[in-house]
Amino acid sequence: MKFFFPLLLTFATLSVNAAFSIKKGPVSGGGGLASPNLVNKDKFVAAITVLEQEIAKENGEEPPPPLDESKFFFGMARTEATLTVEQIKMGLYLVEAGELTLVNGVSQDVYDAGVAPRDTIVSVAIDGGSDGVGRFDEQTKEMDIEGTANVIRGAIQYATEQKVDAVLFELNRLMKMGYADQ
């Protein structure tokens, strides 16, 4: 298990405008809604448990008990955040916990914009270049921290070369929705 706490990437804090949504569009050539790009929920729960336990250890606190689906039920959401290259370069804290790479820390303006610690980045995209054609579109779903960082670096390089200032991050968020029936 790799755990980086916190890992400051040279290009990173995300500042975004986020909205919960599901992409609309054709599914396998037909009409309707496209499936949301969601990570495995069990991996997500396990990754957050690992992260919370490691944070408690770092702070000299008693680790919290693992998240227990027999006591709570969880929902997953997909959110999109559009960032400028300048916003990305401010600093992003990522951590690899279990089998997922999670957002580990954000500045107040990033948090206010909608990116939260414990989100996971599932894709990074840029529409069109300076000539209006071309596209950067890379999946980071369930990718390790090195792979995720390389995709983000590639997006920054592409955006800079193409003189495009909008980078689209697709994120997943795990939410404790309520108590399970006893």
Side-chain angles (χ1 to χ4, degrees):
M1 174 186 76
K2 292 182 184 178
F3 187 78
F4 302 91
F5 182 79
L7 176 65
L8 175 60
L9 302 174
T10 57
F11 55 80
T13 296
L14 302 178
S15 182
V16 301
N17 294 316
F20 288 92
S21 64
I22 295 177
K23 286 184 180 176
K24 294 182 181 179
V27 178
S28 303
L33 296 176
S35 301
N37 189 13
L38 298 174
V39 298
N40 178 287
K41 185 177 78 167
D42 293 332
K43 288 181 182 180
F44 211 167
V45 170
I48 290 174
T49 298
V50 167
L51 180 60
E52 288 177 346
Q53 291 176 346
E54 290 297 322
I55 289 171
K57 286 179 194 175
E58 284 285 320
N59 294 331
E61 300 169 355
E62 184 70 27
L67 296 174
D68 184 354
E69 287 194 70
S70 68
K71 295 181 181 176
F72 304 102
F73 63 94
F74 299 94
M76 288 181 57
R78 178 190 155 278
T79 184
E80 292 180 346
T82 302
L83 311 129
T84 67
V85 170
E86 188 59 37
Q87 289 171 319
I88 297 168
K89 289 180 178 180
M90 291 170 43
L92 169 66
Y93 296 89
L94 298 177
V95 63
E96 188 170 333
E99 298 182 45
L100 293 179
T101 299
L102 303 175
V103 173
N104 188 37
V106 295
S107 63
Q108 186 62 49
D109 67 322
V110 172
Y111 182 80
D112 291 344
V115 176
R118 296 169 179 76
D119 286 351
T120 185
I121 302 167
V122 294
S123 72
V124 181
I126 302 169
D127 281 324
S130 56
D131 57 1
V133 296
R135 178 170 171 81
F136 180 95
D137 192 357
E138 294 290 331
Q139 295 292 311
T140 59
K141 181 178 173 180
E142 299 183 11
M143 192 178 279
D144 65 16
I145 197 165
E146 290 88 4
T148 302
N150 285 334
V151 168
I152 295 170
R153 285 185 192 104
I156 290 169
Q157 181 178 353
Y158 180 85
T160 302
E161 289 171 358
Q162 298 297 316
K163 296 178 177 58
V164 175
D165 202 35
V167 180
L168 179 67
F169 282 73
E170 183 179 359
L171 305 149
N172 285 176
R173 183 168 297 152
L174 184 73
M175 299 168 291
K176 196 182 299 183
M177 302 297 289
Y179 296 98
D181 292 335
Q182 298 294 330

